[in-house]
Amino acid sequence: MNAEVSVFIVDDDDSVRHSLRWLLESVKLRVETFSSAESFLQSVDTDHAGCLILDVRMPGMNGLELQQALIASTSTLPIIILTGHGDVPMAVRAMSEGAFDFVQKPFNGPQLLDRVEAAITRSKQLLEEKKTRNGLQACYAMLTPRERQVMNMIASGKANKVIAIEMGIGQRTVEVHRHRVMEKMQAHSVAELIHFYLQLQKNI
Amino acid sequence: MLFFCGGMFSVYAAPAIGSPSRPQFVQNKSVAQSLKTLDIGVLAFRGEKDARLKWHETIKYLNSKINDVHFRMQAFTLPQMRRAVAERTVAFILTNPGNYIELEAEYGVSRIVTLDSGKGNETGMRGTIGSAIVVRSDHQDLRTLSDLQNKSLMAVSKHAFGGFQVVWWALENHKIDPFSDLSRIEFAGFPQDKIAYAVINRRVDAGVLSACVLEEMIAEGKIKKGVLRVLHPQSYDYFPCKVSTRLYPDWPFSKLRSTPNNLAKRVAQALLAMPADSDASRSGGYAGWTIHMDYQPVHKLFRGLQIGPYRWMRSTNFQQLWERYRHWIVIFILSLLWGIWHMVRVEHLVALRTQQLSKVNQDLKAEMDERQKAEERVRSHQSELAHVSRISAAGELASGMAHEINQPLSAINSYAQGTAWRLQAGEMKVDELIEVHQLISRQAERAGTIIQRFRGFLRKQEIICTDIDINRAIEEAMELFSAEAQKRNVNIELHLAQRLPPVCAEMIQVEQVFLNLMRNATEAMQELDIDSRILKIYSEDNGDRVLVEFHDNGPGISDEVAAHLFDPFFTTRDEGMGLGLSISRSIVESHGGQLVLLEYGKQGLVLQASWPLYKGDDKNER
């Protein structure tokens, strides 16, 4: 599994990149380094498991801008912001935009490693959620408009009878739609269907 | 005799009074060794001979009555009489009323008895002195006193009482001024006989004779009766002679103030006791002596004529002045009034203007205060700004340095920690270890380099070195300093080069240097007169450096002070840290410039700051 996990390092400072690689590789983490935000975006699948260690202050595209680009591409990659002495306001902004954490230079190794591991765990989790969501969306896409309508009404907790009256169709027909929905969405219970529904709602 | 025995005036008893220094008591040894000789001054209005004839017997009479004193007669003209009284060479005087009035007022002469001419047929208590204006009987034009206008007149003397002044007063009362309304007036002097003859001989139209002189002359056969007549004749029932004027009291017999009263009393008693048929009265042509009379009419005459004791009135009679100088007085008063009005008006205007001015002045002052306060606020604000910008520049610098130094520190940390973990895992090769330690070492070096560089910046300020115009720095410093210069009454003269090539320095710091130098120069000149507190600032470009010189007029400094002038914490003043010049020098040097003391003698200090010219790209290693 670790082979699929990568720690990406984006920092314009060679020695910082090199020393971080030295640090993280010593605990058997796969490390990829980039000297600029642009080169990172070009060569990395942003839905890769792992985390991104990002220096906020860089020539060209800076850390915050890279973060915006990743959000735009619905990346799940957790970002650990590296800040210098006077960059606290930038770090605060990065956090409010959803960065996983920030670490101030000069950092100590164990602390950074702790954050990196937490980020990787989070990354896996996000990636899982994303996969599920993607599956759900594929199932949802197979529902007819009528079936989607019935699914929405089931999710809002309405009984078959109520649905039948509201839709102006027979109760039997509602039951047929309901069965189809459960089947297509691969839900084993109404509770699971409601969970899927909420998952879908998050993404839309 | 009672008087003789008890009299104050005794030859033997009163040596002080009888002292030879007193002229009136001069001893006459030829007469009698034991007797005092006292002179009696007699007015000789008809000549000394006449006077002696007339009064000889009277003096003799007195000598016979008063035994302890020998009286001697002195015949005087009017001026002689005055001098005798003034010098007190006589004890008694016998003179006419007019002369008496004068001497009474001036020398305190007092009458003791009045002559009774016997011309009055009663008590003799009435006046017997008057004047007759005589004209030729055939001179028909002359009837009244007014007819004398434009005629010629002769009198004995201007100062003769009965001989002129009485007539003068009578003429004045008829609106005739004898000195301007007559064709001619002549004073012939004594004896009066000359006047009578002059009229007869037609030398003059009219003559003034004392009362009865005409009658006497006729009686003596000197002139024939009917040749002359008296003009404007007045007749008094008790008076036998014709006169043209009113009558005044007859001659008084007077004592000088210095003559003892006792003696005067005895003389008076003797004279009053003189019988009418005595030799004295007979030869004197009088009836005797009577109680001294009232001389008020004489006074009135003198006052009217403003002569004698009333001479002073002549100069201050306002009415006369008014008559004579009416126009001038009116003009004078008008111009005086105008002057007063003008003065009052000017005063008023001045007061008004002063008030307005002082109000304007007050307003101006308030405005100036306000302006000054505003300037001070601006100044303190500006210096605050300068301070803040310096602080923030320092903060920026520190922050930049921290940021840069964090990089190698982070790297070192990572290398060290990574190495530790690898060693723990037991998978560390020796050459790897060597390599990573070299990396660590390199990062440490890098940190050191950064610090070095920042220290360099701090010293040389190359990081904020920009091409600046020194003239502008001087002007801005001047602007910041102007309020203080004004407060300390220092005149700063700028002699700046037209154009200066740029130098590489930091504006704020250069301004700081100039401010320090201005402040030092200003403080050095506080002892001087306000006029000589002049600071001259020169700037010039000598080809490869920009030079700025500060010349003050201060008292200069000693060699010893000069040697330590730029040392930190060296100061000659009580206040101040002694850092100004030290900091200024290090600032200038951080720009690659120099700050040196050129002169420090009695003419004052000359400090020179210089900077190398800005040479574009090679200015620093950034």
Side-chain angles (χ1 to χ4, degrees), chain B residues 449-463 590 621:
Chain B
T449 311
I450 290 167
I451 289 172
Q452 209 78 68
R453 199 174 87 224
F454 272 92
R455 274 174 69 182
F457 286 160
L458 283 177
R459 204 170 48 239
K460 294 184 184 167
Q461 296 295 323
E462 281 160 327
I463 201 164
S590 76
E621 66 262 32

Side-chain angles (χ1 to χ4, degrees), chain B residues 137-157:
Chain B
S137 298
D138 53 7
H139 206 316
Q140 296 300 324
D141 299 353
L142 298 173
R143 288 291 159 196
T144 65
L145 292 181
S146 308
D147 294 336
L148 283 173
Q149 205 141 5
N150 295 321
K151 297 292 189 294
S152 57
L153 182 71
M154 183 180 276
V156 61
S157 156

Side-chain angles (χ1 to χ4, degrees), chain A residues 13 18 22 28 105 107, chain B residues 407 413 415 422 427 446:
Chain A
D13 190 304
H18 190 260
W22 177 263
K28 308 282 188 274
K105 290 185 201 170
F107 42 81
Chain B
Q407 307 288 86
N413 208 339
Y415 284 132
R422 278 167 213 247
E427 47 189 46
R446 179 183 164 198

Side-chain angles (χ1 to χ4, degrees), chain A residues 11 13 15-16 18-23 25-28 55 57 84-87 105-110 113, chain B residues 399 402-403 406-415 417-419 421-422 425 427-428 432 435-436 439 443 446:
Chain A
D11 195 316
D13 190 304
S15 60
V16 172
H18 190 260
S19 63
L20 274 177
R21 177 191 287 275
W22 177 263
L23 178 76
E25 282 181 347
S26 68
V27 288
K28 308 282 188 274
D55 186 16
R57 206 191 265 225
H85 175 76
D87 302 331
K105 290 185 201 170
F107 42 81
N108 72 31
L113 185 62
Chain B
S399 165
H403 184 82
N406 275 339
Q407 307 288 86
L409 287 181
S410 301
I412 288 166
N413 208 339
S414 301
Y415 284 132
Q417 189 61 57
T419 306
W421 282 334
R422 278 167 213 247
E427 47 189 46
M428 198 65 194
E432 266 184 334
E435 191 192 345
V436 80
L439 287 171
Q443 288 309 307
R446 179 183 164 198

